[in-house]
Protein backbone atom coordinates (compact mmCIF):
# COMPACT_ATOMS: atom_id res chain seq x y z
CA UNK A 1 0.00 0.00 0.00
CA UNK A 2 1.22 3.46 -0.80
CA UNK A 3 2.19 5.82 1.98
CA UNK A 4 1.88 9.57 1.63
CA UNK A 5 5.09 11.08 0.30
CA UNK A 6 4.80 14.30 2.22
CA UNK A 7 7.77 16.61 2.35
CA UNK A 8 6.47 18.16 5.52
CA UNK A 9 6.52 16.85 9.06
CA UNK A 10 3.72 14.50 10.05
CA UNK A 11 2.86 14.07 13.68
CA UNK A 12 0.05 12.98 15.95
CA UNK A 13 -1.81 15.95 17.29
CA UNK A 14 -3.73 15.90 20.53
CA UNK A 15 -5.28 19.29 21.03
CA UNK A 16 -3.34 22.02 19.28
CA UNK A 17 -5.61 22.26 16.22
CA UNK A 18 -9.04 23.70 16.89
CA UNK A 19 -11.85 22.63 14.55
CA UNK A 20 -14.95 24.68 13.84
CA UNK A 21 -17.14 21.57 14.01
CA UNK A 22 -16.97 18.26 15.82
CA UNK A 23 -17.83 15.92 12.95
CA UNK A 24 -19.55 13.53 15.37
CA UNK A 25 -22.27 15.95 16.47
CA UNK A 26 -25.57 15.79 14.53
CA UNK A 27 -23.94 16.06 11.10
CA UNK A 28 -26.72 13.94 9.57
CA UNK A 29 -29.70 15.29 11.49
CA UNK A 30 -30.96 17.28 8.50
CA UNK A 31 -31.21 14.06 6.43
CA UNK A 32 -33.56 12.24 8.78
CA UNK A 33 -37.25 11.71 8.12
CA UNK A 34 -37.59 12.36 4.37
CA UNK A 35 -34.81 10.29 2.75
CA UNK A 36 -34.95 6.69 1.52
CA UNK A 37 -31.79 4.59 1.15
CA UNK A 38 -33.73 1.49 0.01
CA UNK A 39 -36.00 2.83 -2.73
CA UNK A 40 -35.94 -0.47 -4.63
CA UNK A 41 -37.72 -2.13 -1.72
CA UNK A 42 -40.46 0.52 -1.47
CA UNK A 43 -43.93 -0.26 -2.76
CA UNK A 44 -45.34 2.81 -4.46
CA UNK A 45 -48.95 3.07 -5.69
CA UNK A 46 -49.63 2.76 -9.41
CA UNK A 47 -50.04 5.86 -11.55
CA UNK A 48 -53.58 7.11 -12.06
CA UNK A 49 -53.20 10.12 -14.34
CA UNK A 50 -50.73 11.01 -17.07
CA UNK A 51 -49.04 14.43 -17.11
CA UNK A 52 -49.53 16.15 -20.51
CA UNK A 53 -46.40 16.47 -22.64
CA UNK A 54 -46.83 20.20 -23.24
CA UNK A 55 -47.82 22.44 -20.33
CA UNK A 56 -48.44 26.05 -21.38
CA UNK A 57 -50.55 27.29 -18.47
CA UNK A 58 -50.20 27.18 -14.70
CA UNK A 59 -50.75 23.60 -13.54
CA UNK A 60 -51.15 22.07 -10.08
CA UNK A 61 -50.40 18.41 -9.27
CA UNK A 62 -52.28 17.15 -6.20
CA UNK A 63 -50.96 14.70 -3.64
CA UNK A 64 -54.12 12.56 -3.74
CA UNK A 65 -53.36 11.55 -7.34
CA UNK A 66 -50.38 9.43 -8.45
CA UNK A 67 -49.08 10.78 -11.76
CA UNK A 68 -47.30 9.21 -14.74
CA UNK A 69 -44.42 11.07 -16.40
CA UNK A 70 -44.12 9.59 -19.88
CA UNK A 71 -41.97 10.90 -22.72
CA UNK A 72 -40.59 14.45 -22.72
CA UNK A 73 -42.82 16.79 -20.72
CA UNK A 74 -42.14 20.48 -21.43
CA UNK A 75 -43.33 23.33 -19.22
CA UNK A 76 -43.24 26.41 -21.45
CA UNK A 77 -44.86 29.73 -22.31
CA UNK A 78 -44.02 31.16 -18.88
CA UNK A 79 -46.19 28.58 -17.12
CA UNK A 80 -45.61 27.41 -13.56
CA UNK A 81 -45.88 23.75 -12.61
CA UNK A 82 -46.69 23.46 -8.90
CA UNK A 83 -46.44 20.08 -7.16
CA UNK A 84 -48.10 19.59 -3.78
CA UNK A 85 -46.13 18.07 -0.93
CA UNK A 86 -46.46 14.30 -0.73
CA UNK A 87 -47.09 13.87 -4.47
CA UNK A 88 -45.71 10.73 -6.13
CA UNK A 89 -44.77 10.76 -9.81
CA UNK A 90 -44.07 7.41 -11.49
CA UNK A 91 -41.71 7.85 -14.44
CA UNK A 92 -41.98 5.74 -17.58
CA UNK A 93 -39.12 3.32 -18.25
CA UNK A 94 -40.33 2.44 -21.77
CA UNK A 95 -41.31 5.81 -23.22
CA UNK A 96 -38.54 7.41 -21.19
CA UNK A 97 -39.89 10.20 -19.00
CA UNK A 98 -38.18 13.60 -18.71
CA UNK A 99 -39.44 16.81 -17.13
CA UNK A 100 -38.07 19.95 -18.81
CA UNK A 101 -38.80 23.38 -17.34
CA UNK A 102 -38.06 25.70 -20.25
CA UNK A 103 -36.59 29.18 -20.00
CA UNK A 104 -39.08 31.65 -18.51
CA UNK A 105 -41.21 28.91 -16.94
CA UNK A 106 -41.01 27.67 -13.36
CA UNK A 107 -41.18 24.58 -11.18
CA UNK A 108 -42.46 24.89 -7.61
CA UNK A 109 -42.00 21.52 -5.90
CA UNK A 110 -42.16 22.15 -2.17
CA UNK A 111 -42.33 18.91 -0.27
CA UNK A 112 -41.89 18.66 3.47
CA UNK A 113 -39.90 16.52 5.87
CA UNK A 114 -43.00 14.46 6.58
CA UNK A 115 -44.33 14.43 3.01
CA UNK A 116 -41.54 14.68 0.42
CA UNK A 117 -42.28 14.82 -3.30
CA UNK A 118 -41.09 11.66 -5.06
CA UNK A 119 -40.07 11.09 -8.68
CA UNK A 120 -39.41 7.38 -9.14
CA UNK A 121 -39.40 4.53 -11.65
CA UNK A 122 -42.70 3.03 -12.75
CA UNK A 123 -41.27 -0.47 -12.31
CA UNK A 124 -42.35 -2.68 -9.43
CA UNK A 125 -40.37 -2.92 -6.22
CA UNK A 126 -37.18 -4.99 -6.44
CA UNK A 127 -37.03 -4.62 -10.24
CA UNK A 128 -35.92 -0.98 -10.52
CA UNK A 129 -32.45 0.00 -11.61
CA UNK A 130 -30.40 3.11 -12.29
CA UNK A 131 -31.37 4.80 -15.53
CA UNK A 132 -34.98 3.58 -15.63
CA UNK A 133 -36.09 7.06 -16.74
CA UNK A 134 -34.54 10.37 -17.77
CA UNK A 135 -34.50 13.17 -15.23
CA UNK A 136 -35.48 16.74 -14.40
CA UNK A 137 -34.05 19.65 -16.41
CA UNK A 138 -34.49 23.23 -15.22
CA UNK A 139 -33.52 25.98 -17.66
CA UNK A 140 -32.91 29.55 -16.50
CA UNK A 141 -31.90 32.98 -17.73
CA UNK A 142 -28.93 33.44 -15.41
CA UNK A 143 -25.30 33.94 -16.32
CA UNK A 144 -23.10 31.41 -18.06
CA UNK A 145 -19.49 32.05 -19.03
CA UNK A 146 -19.70 30.91 -22.65
CA UNK A 147 -18.58 33.36 -25.32
CA UNK A 148 -22.16 33.81 -26.51
CA UNK A 149 -23.59 34.04 -22.99
CA UNK A 150 -25.95 31.13 -23.60
CA UNK A 151 -26.04 27.51 -24.66
CA UNK A 152 -28.17 24.55 -25.72
CA UNK A 153 -28.97 21.94 -23.07
CA UNK A 154 -27.38 18.53 -23.53
CA UNK A 155 -29.39 15.65 -24.88
CA UNK A 156 -30.97 16.80 -28.16
CA UNK A 157 -34.27 17.92 -26.69
CA UNK A 158 -36.77 19.99 -28.67
CA UNK A 159 -34.69 23.01 -29.81
CA UNK A 160 -37.66 25.30 -29.21
CA UNK A 161 -37.28 24.69 -25.48
CA UNK A 162 -33.53 24.08 -25.18
CA UNK A 163 -31.85 27.51 -24.97
CA UNK A 164 -30.41 28.59 -21.61
CA UNK A 165 -28.59 31.63 -20.26
CA UNK A 166 -29.17 35.37 -20.23
CA UNK A 167 -28.96 38.40 -17.98
CA UNK A 168 -31.66 37.65 -15.41
CA UNK A 169 -29.11 36.79 -12.74
CA UNK A 170 -31.57 37.46 -9.88
CA UNK A 171 -34.25 35.22 -11.38
CA UNK A 172 -36.07 32.74 -9.16
CA UNK A 173 -35.92 30.01 -11.76
CA UNK A 174 -37.47 27.32 -9.57
CA UNK A 175 -38.17 26.21 -6.01
CA UNK A 176 -37.45 22.64 -4.92
CA UNK A 177 -37.57 21.44 -1.32
CA UNK A 178 -37.72 17.93 0.09
CA UNK A 179 -37.72 16.12 -3.24
CA UNK A 180 -36.49 12.59 -3.95
CA UNK A 181 -35.40 11.59 -7.47
CA UNK A 182 -34.89 7.84 -7.84
CA UNK A 183 -33.52 5.67 -10.70
CA UNK A 184 -33.09 8.52 -13.21
CA UNK A 185 -30.22 9.00 -15.70
CA UNK A 186 -31.32 6.86 -18.66
CA UNK A 187 -28.71 6.48 -21.44
CA UNK A 188 -30.58 4.38 -23.99
CA UNK A 189 -32.47 7.32 -25.52
CA UNK A 190 -29.86 10.02 -24.89
CA UNK A 191 -26.18 9.36 -24.32
CA UNK A 192 -25.89 12.57 -22.31
CA UNK A 193 -28.09 15.13 -20.63
CA UNK A 194 -30.43 12.87 -18.67
CA UNK A 195 -28.98 13.42 -15.23
CA UNK A 196 -31.01 13.17 -12.06
CA UNK A 197 -31.29 16.96 -11.80
CA UNK A 198 -29.79 19.29 -14.42
CA UNK A 199 -29.71 22.99 -13.57
CA UNK A 200 -28.90 25.39 -16.41
CA UNK A 201 -28.21 29.08 -15.68
CA UNK A 202 -30.49 29.21 -12.66
CA UNK A 203 -30.92 32.61 -11.02
CA UNK A 204 -29.61 33.30 -7.53
CA UNK A 205 -33.09 33.64 -6.01
CA UNK A 206 -33.83 30.01 -6.84
CA UNK A 207 -34.26 27.62 -3.91
CA UNK A 208 -32.86 24.11 -4.32
CA UNK A 209 -32.64 22.51 -0.86
CA UNK A 210 -33.19 19.08 0.66
CA UNK A 211 -32.90 16.98 -2.49
CA UNK A 212 -31.98 13.29 -2.59
CA UNK A 213 -30.98 11.63 -5.86
CA UNK A 214 -30.42 7.89 -5.68
CA UNK A 215 -29.20 5.34 -8.23
CA UNK A 216 -28.71 7.74 -11.14
CA UNK A 217 -27.41 6.20 -14.35
CA UNK A 218 -25.54 9.42 -15.16
CA UNK A 219 -24.63 12.40 -12.94
CA UNK A 220 -26.86 12.97 -9.94
CA UNK A 221 -26.59 16.78 -10.07
CA UNK A 222 -25.38 18.95 -12.93
CA UNK A 223 -24.87 22.69 -12.40
CA UNK A 224 -24.27 24.54 -15.67
CA UNK A 225 -23.60 28.22 -15.06
CA UNK A 226 -25.87 30.32 -12.89
CA UNK A 227 -25.51 31.52 -9.32
CA UNK A 228 -26.89 29.61 -6.37
CA UNK A 229 -26.54 28.96 -2.67
CA UNK A 230 -27.94 25.53 -1.92
CA UNK A 231 -27.83 23.06 0.91
CA UNK A 232 -28.80 19.57 2.05
CA UNK A 233 -28.14 17.62 -1.14
CA UNK A 234 -27.66 13.84 -1.21
CA UNK A 235 -26.31 11.69 -4.02
CA UNK A 236 -26.55 7.95 -3.42
CA UNK A 237 -24.72 5.39 -5.56
CA UNK A 238 -24.66 7.29 -8.85
CA UNK A 239 -22.92 5.66 -11.81
CA UNK A 240 -21.37 8.90 -13.05
CA UNK A 241 -20.42 11.97 -11.02
CA UNK A 242 -22.33 12.95 -7.92
CA UNK A 243 -21.98 16.71 -8.47
CA UNK A 244 -20.88 18.06 -11.86
CA UNK A 245 -20.31 21.83 -11.89
CA UNK A 246 -19.35 23.90 -14.93
CA UNK A 247 -19.78 26.91 -17.25
CA UNK A 248 -18.97 29.61 -14.73
CA UNK A 249 -21.21 28.47 -11.90
CA UNK A 250 -20.77 30.67 -8.84
CA UNK A 251 -22.07 29.63 -5.49
CA UNK A 252 -21.94 27.63 -2.28
CA UNK A 253 -23.02 24.04 -1.76
CA UNK A 254 -23.50 23.35 1.95
CA UNK A 255 -24.27 20.05 3.68
CA UNK A 256 -23.61 17.54 0.93
CA UNK A 257 -23.61 13.76 1.17
CA UNK A 258 -22.19 11.70 -1.69
CA UNK A 259 -22.10 7.94 -1.17
CA UNK A 260 -20.37 5.88 -3.86
CA UNK A 261 -19.36 2.25 -4.35
CA UNK A 262 -16.08 1.25 -6.06
CA UNK A 263 -17.88 -1.09 -8.49
CA UNK A 264 -20.47 1.51 -9.53
CA UNK A 265 -18.63 3.82 -11.89
CA UNK A 266 -18.23 4.86 -15.52
CA UNK A 267 -15.53 3.34 -17.69
CA UNK A 268 -13.60 6.64 -17.73
CA UNK A 269 -13.98 7.14 -14.00
CA UNK A 270 -16.51 8.92 -11.83
CA UNK A 271 -16.01 11.52 -9.11
CA UNK A 272 -17.88 12.87 -6.13
CA UNK A 273 -17.16 16.37 -7.48
CA UNK A 274 -16.28 17.15 -11.09
CA UNK A 275 -15.64 20.85 -11.48
CA UNK A 276 -15.01 22.42 -14.90
CA UNK A 277 -13.91 26.03 -15.22
CA UNK A 278 -15.56 26.41 -18.61
CA UNK A 279 -17.02 24.44 -21.51
CA UNK A 280 -14.11 23.65 -23.82
CA UNK A 281 -16.24 23.76 -26.97
CA UNK A 282 -18.07 26.98 -26.07
CA UNK A 283 -15.11 28.88 -24.59
CA UNK A 284 -15.15 31.83 -22.21
CA UNK A 285 -14.27 35.52 -22.28
CA UNK A 286 -13.12 36.73 -18.86
CA UNK A 287 -10.92 34.91 -16.37
CA UNK A 288 -13.08 36.14 -13.49
CA UNK A 289 -16.00 34.20 -14.97
CA UNK A 290 -14.33 30.82 -14.41
CA UNK A 291 -16.37 28.37 -12.32
CA UNK A 292 -15.79 29.15 -8.64
CA UNK A 293 -17.54 27.00 -6.05
CA UNK A 294 -17.37 26.68 -2.27
CA UNK A 295 -18.19 23.30 -0.71
CA UNK A 296 -18.84 23.25 3.04
CA UNK A 297 -19.83 20.52 5.49
CA UNK A 298 -19.63 17.79 2.87
CA UNK A 299 -19.36 14.04 3.41
CA UNK A 300 -17.87 12.41 0.29
CA UNK A 301 -17.50 8.66 0.81
CA UNK A 302 -16.64 5.73 -1.40
CA UNK A 303 -17.62 2.51 0.41
CA UNK A 304 -14.36 0.82 -0.47
CA UNK A 305 -12.23 -1.58 1.53
CA UNK A 306 -8.81 -3.13 1.09
CA UNK A 307 -10.15 -5.72 -1.37
CA UNK A 308 -11.51 -3.20 -3.89
CA UNK A 309 -10.07 0.26 -3.18
CA UNK A 310 -7.93 0.09 -6.33
CA UNK A 311 -11.10 0.58 -8.38
CA UNK A 312 -11.60 4.10 -7.01
CA UNK A 313 -10.67 7.48 -8.47
CA UNK A 314 -9.93 10.82 -6.83
CA UNK A 315 -12.81 12.36 -4.88
CA UNK A 316 -12.53 15.63 -6.82
CA UNK A 317 -11.72 16.26 -10.47
CA UNK A 318 -10.67 19.85 -11.22
CA UNK A 319 -10.63 20.74 -14.91
CA UNK A 320 -10.19 23.73 -17.17
CA UNK A 321 -8.75 25.98 -14.42
CA UNK A 322 -11.83 25.68 -12.17
CA UNK A 323 -11.59 27.12 -8.67
CA UNK A 324 -12.82 25.26 -5.61
CA UNK A 325 -12.70 25.73 -1.85
CA UNK A 326 -13.47 22.76 0.44
CA UNK A 327 -14.18 23.53 4.10
CA UNK A 328 -15.13 21.46 7.14
CA UNK A 329 -15.63 18.27 5.15
CA UNK A 330 -14.88 14.54 5.18
CA UNK A 331 -13.44 12.62 2.22
CA UNK A 332 -12.95 8.87 2.49
CA UNK A 333 -12.43 5.76 0.40
CA UNK A 334 -11.01 7.39 -2.75
CA UNK A 335 -7.57 7.08 -4.32
CA UNK A 336 -6.77 10.77 -3.81
CA UNK A 337 -8.39 13.96 -2.64
CA UNK A 338 -8.11 15.85 -5.93
CA UNK A 339 -6.95 15.40 -9.51
CA UNK A 340 -5.95 18.35 -11.73
CA UNK A 341 -6.01 18.21 -15.52
CA UNK A 342 -3.40 19.74 -17.85
CA UNK A 343 -4.93 23.21 -17.70
CA UNK A 344 -3.16 23.66 -14.35
CA UNK A 345 0.32 24.39 -15.61
CA UNK A 346 2.20 25.26 -12.41
CA UNK A 347 2.10 24.87 -8.66
CA UNK A 348 1.29 28.56 -8.23
CA UNK A 349 -1.79 28.13 -10.40
CA UNK A 350 -2.98 25.15 -8.38
CA UNK A 351 -2.44 27.03 -5.12
CA UNK A 352 -4.53 29.89 -6.44
CA UNK A 353 -7.32 27.62 -7.68
CA UNK A 354 -7.72 25.07 -4.89
CA UNK A 355 -7.99 25.33 -1.12
CA UNK A 356 -9.09 22.83 1.49
CA UNK A 357 -9.05 23.37 5.23
CA UNK A 358 -10.57 22.24 8.50
CA UNK A 359 -11.31 18.88 6.91
CA UNK A 360 -10.51 15.16 7.16
CA UNK A 361 -9.45 12.63 4.52
CA UNK A 362 -8.82 8.89 4.32
CA UNK A 363 -7.32 7.81 0.98
CA UNK A 364 -4.98 5.16 -0.42
CA UNK A 365 -2.94 7.28 -2.86
CA UNK A 366 -0.64 10.27 -2.53
CA UNK A 367 -3.37 12.84 -1.99
CA UNK A 368 -2.98 14.99 -5.12
CA UNK A 369 -2.68 13.96 -8.77
CA UNK A 370 -1.76 16.29 -11.59
CA UNK A 371 -1.75 15.57 -15.32
CA UNK A 372 1.34 17.72 -15.73
CA UNK A 373 4.57 17.20 -13.83
CA UNK A 374 4.14 19.68 -10.99
CA UNK A 375 6.48 20.47 -8.12
CA UNK A 376 6.36 17.62 -5.59
CA UNK A 377 5.32 20.14 -2.94
CA UNK A 378 1.87 20.22 -4.55
CA UNK A 379 0.66 17.94 -1.76
CA UNK A 380 1.06 20.90 0.60
CA UNK A 381 -2.25 22.26 -0.67
CA UNK A 382 -3.78 19.77 1.78
CA UNK A 383 -2.20 21.46 4.79
CA UNK A 384 -4.30 22.12 7.89
CA UNK A 385 -6.41 18.99 7.44
CA UNK A 386 -6.42 15.73 9.38
CA UNK A 387 -5.96 12.35 7.74
CA UNK A 388 -5.40 8.66 8.33
CA UNK A 389 -1.78 7.57 8.04
CA UNK A 390 -2.91 4.38 6.28
CA UNK A 391 -6.10 3.65 4.35
CA UNK A 392 -8.98 2.42 6.54
CA UNK A 393 -12.09 0.62 5.23
CA UNK A 394 -15.38 2.47 5.60
CA UNK A 395 -16.87 0.05 8.14
CA UNK A 396 -13.77 0.36 10.30
CA UNK A 397 -13.57 4.15 10.09
CA UNK A 398 -17.23 5.13 10.48
CA UNK A 399 -19.89 4.11 12.97
CA UNK A 400 -22.47 2.57 10.61
CA UNK A 401 -21.88 3.43 6.93
CA UNK A 402 -24.18 0.65 5.66
CA UNK A 403 -27.21 1.60 7.74
CA UNK A 404 -30.28 1.40 5.46
CA UNK A 405 -32.27 4.03 7.35
CA UNK A 406 -29.56 6.70 7.62
CA UNK A 407 -25.93 5.74 6.95
CA UNK A 408 -23.85 7.07 9.82
CA UNK A 409 -20.54 8.62 8.90
CA UNK A 410 -19.54 9.70 12.37
CA UNK A 411 -15.89 8.84 12.97
CA UNK A 412 -15.49 5.99 15.44
CA UNK A 413 -12.49 7.73 16.95
CA UNK A 414 -12.01 11.33 17.96
CA UNK A 415 -10.30 13.58 15.44
CA UNK A 416 -7.45 13.91 17.90
CA UNK A 417 -6.46 10.33 17.01
CA UNK A 418 -5.56 11.28 13.44
CA UNK A 419 -2.61 12.97 11.81
CA UNK A 420 -2.52 16.61 10.80
CA UNK A 421 -0.58 18.30 8.02
CA UNK A 422 1.12 21.56 8.91
Amino acid sequence: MKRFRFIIVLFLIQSSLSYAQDFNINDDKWARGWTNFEPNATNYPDAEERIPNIIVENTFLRSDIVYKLSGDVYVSNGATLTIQEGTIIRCDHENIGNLIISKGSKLIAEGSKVNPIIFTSDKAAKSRTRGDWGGIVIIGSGKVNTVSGNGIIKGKYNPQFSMYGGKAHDEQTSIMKYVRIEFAGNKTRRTEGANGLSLYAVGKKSIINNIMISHSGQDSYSFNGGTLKTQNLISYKAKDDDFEISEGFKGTLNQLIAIRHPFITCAIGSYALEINGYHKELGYVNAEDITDVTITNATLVNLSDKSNYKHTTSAISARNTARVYIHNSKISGFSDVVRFDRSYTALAMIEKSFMMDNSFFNIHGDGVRASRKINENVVNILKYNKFTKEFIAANELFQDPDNKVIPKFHLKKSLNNYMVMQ
Side-chain angles (χ1 to χ4, degrees), residues 39-58:
N40 203 13
T42 302
N43 289 306
Y44 293 112
D46 293 334
E48 303 165 283
E49 183 176 318
R50 178 171 169 166
I51 301 172
N53 290 98
I54 301 292
I55 297 174
V56 295
E57 58 184 17
N58 294 344

Side-chain angles (χ1 to χ4, degrees), residues 21 94-95 110 120 164 181 249 256 267 298 351 358 378 422:
Q21 172 183 332
E94 294 179 336
N95 183 22
E110 292 192 79
T120 193
Y164 67 92
I181 301 170
F249 174 86
L256 306 183
E351 291 174 333
N358 209 49
V378 67
Q422 294 216 102

Side-chain angles (χ1 to χ4, degrees), residues 103-104 139-143 164-169 171 173 200-203:
K103 187 174 175 179
I139 304 171
S141 303
K143 184 176 182 178
Y164 67 92
K167 297 182 179 180
H169 309 324
E171 176 185 73
T173 311
Y200 288 90
V202 297

